Amino acid sequence: MRLATLLLTFVLASPAHASVAGLWKAKKFFGPEARGPLVIRKAGGAYAADMAGELVPVRVEGRNVSFALSNGKGSFRGKLDGGAIRGHWFPPGSVPRFFVYASPVELKADGANRWRGEVRPFDDTFTFYLLLREQPDGSFSAFVRNPDRDEGGMRGVERLTIDGNAVKLLGKGGREVATGTYDQERDVLTLNFPNRGGSYDFRRDGDDSAFYARGAKPARYAYRPPLARDDGWPVGTLEEAHIDRAAIEKFIQWIADTPAESYTAPVIEGVLIARHGKLVLEEYFYGNHRDQLHETRSAAKSLTATVIGAALQAGAPLSLSSPVYRVMNRGELPADLEPRKRAMTLEHLLTMNAGYFCDDTNDAAPGNENFMIDEAEEPDTYKFTLAVPMATAPGEQPVYCSSQPNLALGVLARATGESVLQTFDRLVARPMKMRHYGWWLDRAGNPYGGGGVQLYPRDFLKLGQLMLDGGTWEGRRILSRDFVTRASSPLVDLRELKYGYLWWVRDYPYRDRTVRAYYAAGAGGQATIVVPELDLVVTTLGASYSSGKATHAISRDLAKDHILRAIF
């Protein structure tokens, strides 16, 4: 018995065990490598592109311009537009995310028959924070924060075991999440995540780590007005907007002080407030900042509605009553098409009311998003959805289903004959000074309309201000007033809430009454909330992707519990 006690004491005191306690960080950059200056020039009758050390031929058909770098490093597609060439860069597939994000490129005239610009692709990075605490029995509890996909929460990571130099990261029930080694001499933990880009080297992180909202020991917060920039946002102060400064300072301090060391804790990465048309609050946490693209998840469904509304306003050969299958079949309804699909219109797609058997919460639904993206043999998500069986007649039973807004983008592209990316860039992004973004593409290269667009936080906020201002931005009409009214109205009942054209509608308590709000919302805590009666727009950003409770605590409750109380 005494010998066993001595052996246990030796194990607990072993430096290889005790020394791994603490906070660790690992980050990998997966590219894309091709980026930077791009020059297209014409010599004689031929065009050539100079980029990333390559000189490659450019294909020109009418106003369309395209080229590809060698070995699949990326490609460009654009159009000659006056004195410029405007288009998008298409990088190779992402390693840990499995997605491709298209980004805008503008080449300006740089002399005769010469255009110059810069390719700024969406940066494919993946980050892990690992907090290890030694337990009385010598084991280590483990908490993983992965701001990109919330891998720790999704895998339910709970502990780390170490045997000599071999380590294992374990989830609930002892399920193995990652394996690796500990190099005590270098003080490096290496863990292999097979589906997220392989091995990551973890090194110690300090008190100023982005694992914390604003460091392990946050300073006392004092309000400062947002920075004025050339992005279309006038800026102002809380006082000018009649917002209680002390209440907002208390709110921001609460975010900074509250530890988020459980998978159900809300991870709030940003809060922005605009009132009376001016940006008056812009605060970021956990290492985020205004010049960083942020995931919007399903909140980008509201962006899909914006693009379609802008195209309708611009005179696209399409209407809300356009039959989906007639448009997708180039003007003719397929002869053998069932009656329910014949009756389906674009408006049905925009209200999640098309009748497809596609509930995203039902794994048995053949049209649910996870199956469509991860398992379906058909890479073209538009074609996939057209073949999904019907569950009800259109207009009979709304069902939350990401394939519906996605197909709505396909209807727009087929009606106009133009890439949705070009339509968005021409009618929304450039007029609203959204100069950089990452639009997720399906495996067939179609822009996905069900979510996942990466936006700058201030640009995400603009979507709400555009709606609040009746469809105008800086005096330019982007959406018709009627479309804004319909999009923000409670047209259908969905998930015990009201829904318009891909915008949620709900009432918030405010002082001694309620106020109507509509909002874009996505997993993790992404939201842009519009409260017309208060002339208010709020954007929240989060990283709580694995917890519905935490998502709602950010996207639904922050405005109600903290911001509305400060409005007077």
Side-chain angles (χ1 to χ4, degrees):
M1 193 68 179
R2 182 177 298 174
L3 178 60
T5 301
L6 288 173
L7 287 173
L8 180 59
T9 301
F10 174 77
V11 170
L12 293 178
S14 169
H17 286 67
S19 62
V20 299
L23 179 62
W24 302 76
K25 177 186 177 182
K27 182 175 183 177
K28 290 182 72 172
F29 175 70
F30 294 92
E33 293 182 6
R35 60 181 60 224
L38 165 62
V39 174
I40 292 179
R41 58 179 181 264
K42 179 182 179 182
Y47 290 78
D50 189 327
M51 179 185 165
E54 294 191 37
L55 186 64
V56 297
V58 174
R59 185 175 183 177
V60 179
E61 296 179 326
R63 294 192 300 119
N64 295 316
V65 178
S66 63
F67 71 88
L69 296 180
S70 64
N71 300 317
K73 291 196 289 287
S75 61
F76 172 81
R77 295 198 297 272
K79 279 189 174 183
L80 285 161
D81 185 5
I85 299 175
R86 296 186 172 95
H88 292 83
W89 181 254
F90 301 87
S94 167
V95 175
R97 298 171 187 265
F98 313 114
F99 306 144
V100 171
Y101 291 90
S103 56
V105 179
E106 180 178 6
L107 307 176
K108 296 182 178 179
D110 185 37
N113 295 320
R114 179 184 172 98
W115 299 264
R116 177 187 295 272
E118 184 172 359
V119 171
R120 297 170 58 208
F122 171 74
D123 285 334
D124 188 7
T125 62
F126 218 66
T127 304
F128 289 99
Y129 296 95
L130 174 62
L131 180 62
L132 299 174
R133 290 196 172 103
E134 188 172 7
Q135 303 302 300
D137 64 355
S139 65
F140 294 89
S141 67
F143 173 75
V144 169
R145 174 170 297 134
N146 165 233
D148 308 286
R149 306 297 294 178
D150 198 6
E151 195 78 2
M154 292 180 179
R155 301 289 191 94
V157 173
E158 291 183 337
R159 60 194 179 97
L160 180 136
T161 64
I162 181 165
D163 182 9
N165 72 337
V167 296
K168 290 183 179 180
L169 197 61
L170 304 175
K172 292 180 180 179
R175 183 168 53 90
E176 191 174 280
V177 175
T179 61
T181 59
Y182 173 54
D183 186 331
Q184 185 175 358
E185 184 176 346
R186 295 170 53 233
D187 199 24
V188 174
L189 271 169
T190 300
L191 290 169
N192 181 42
F193 296 87
N195 295 324
R196 295 302 184 190
S199 293
Y200 287 75
D201 288 336
F202 287 77
R203 292 177 171 81
R204 306 259 181 196
D205 218 7
D207 284 352
D208 60 348
S209 169
F211 172 81
Y212 307 104
R214 286 192 171 167
K217 301 173 182 178
R220 179 57 50 185
Y221 170 72
Y223 169 73
R224 60 187 181 201
L227 180 69
R229 308 187 77 180
D230 179 27
D231 64 354
W233 269 119
V235 298
T237 67
L238 292 174
E239 290 84 356
E240 292 169 348
H242 299 289
I243 300 176
D244 187 337
R245 173 172 176 165
I248 294 297
E249 287 183 335
K250 182 179 179 181
F251 167 48
I252 300 300
Q253 191 68 51
W254 170 75
I255 297 174
D257 289 341
T258 303
E261 297 178 9
S262 77
Y263 298 121
T264 58
V267 180
I268 303 164
E269 296 190 321
V271 179
L272 296 86
I273 299 176
R275 195 171 193 211
H276 305 321
K278 292 184 178 181
L279 178 66
V280 296
L281 183 79
E282 181 184 24
E283 297 293 343
Y284 302 99
F285 311 90
Y286 298 101
N288 288 266
H289 54 85
R290 65 170 66 92
D291 295 317
Q292 177 181 351
L293 292 176
H294 199 282
E295 175 71 72
T296 59
R297 289 293 182 100
S298 284
K301 289 178 170 66
S302 302
L303 178 61
T304 291
T306 302
V307 178
I308 291 172
L312 295 176
Q313 169 63 23
L318 190 67
S319 72
L320 294 169
S321 61
S322 292
V324 170
Y325 283 81
R326 176 173 289 163
V327 176
M328 295 302 288
N329 199 46
R330 304 186 187 282
E332 296 290 335
L333 284 170
D336 58 348
L337 189 67
E338 69 156 289
R340 291 180 296 184
K341 288 188 175 181
R342 286 175 174 267
M344 187 188 302
T345 67
L346 175 61
E347 187 169 39
H348 288 132
L349 296 176
L350 293 178
T351 55
M352 298 281 192
N353 210 2
Y356 285 122
F357 186 12
C358 63
D359 188 343
D360 283 349
T361 65
N362 182 358
D363 290 339
N368 78 65
E369 183 180 39
N370 288 338
F371 179 77
M372 175 175 64
I373 293 171
D374 297 333
E375 301 177 42
E377 293 183 4
E378 173 57 69
D380 187 318
T381 54
Y382 304 156
K383 290 181 180 178
F384 169 88
T385 303
L386 290 171
V388 170
M390 300 293 281
T392 66
E396 187 174 298
Q397 181 59 57
V399 174
Y400 189 85
C401 160
S402 298
S403 62
Q404 296 182 88
N406 179 56
L407 180 56
L409 278 192
V411 172
L412 174 63
R414 184 58 58 88
T416 62
E418 180 180 54
S419 164
V420 168
L421 293 174
Q422 293 176 337
T423 302
F424 168 65
D425 203 63
R426 177 170 56 86
L427 299 180
V428 180
R430 275 190 275 133
M432 297 182 67
K433 298 183 179 178
M434 298 179 178
R435 299 184 175 106
H436 190 41
Y437 51 86
W439 199 304
W440 175 28
L441 310 177
D442 69 13
R443 289 174 291 157
N446 299 312
Y448 186 65
V453 178
Q454 301 270 345
L455 294 175
Y456 282 151
R458 289 166 73 138
D459 289 345
F460 187 24
L461 186 71
K462 289 176 184 177
L463 297 181
Q465 191 66 47
L466 173 68
M467 294 285 287
L468 180 61
D469 288 343
T472 64
W473 181 263
E474 292 189 317
R476 174 169 176 169
R477 181 152 296 282
I478 307 294
L479 307 172
S480 74
R481 186 171 292 278
D482 181 65
F483 185 88
V484 170
T485 299
R486 294 282 293 169
S488 58
S489 295
L491 303 180
V492 299
D493 295 317
L494 183 64
R495 287 186 171 180
E496 300 181 352
L497 292 169
K498 302 294 184 180
Y499 206 57
Y501 292 161
L502 306 179
W503 286 85
W504 296 96
V505 183
R506 67 174 298 177
D507 293 330
Y508 280 107
Y510 174 69
R511 298 187 181 274
D512 58 351
R513 64 185 194 277
T514 60
V515 290
R516 174 60 54 87
Y518 53 89
Y519 60 102
Q526 329 316 324
T528 287
I529 304 164
V530 184
V531 189
E533 188 176 338
L534 301 179
D535 201 10
L536 176 72
V537 186
V538 175
T539 283
T540 63
L541 308 168
S544 300
Y545 301 111
S546 66
S547 170
K549 180 180 179 181
T551 285
H552 295 325
I554 302 171
S555 61
R556 293 187 188 178
D557 297 339
L558 284 189
K560 170 176 65 72
D561 296 339
H562 298 277
I563 296 172
L564 290 186
R565 294 180 180 182
I567 305 293
F568 60 90

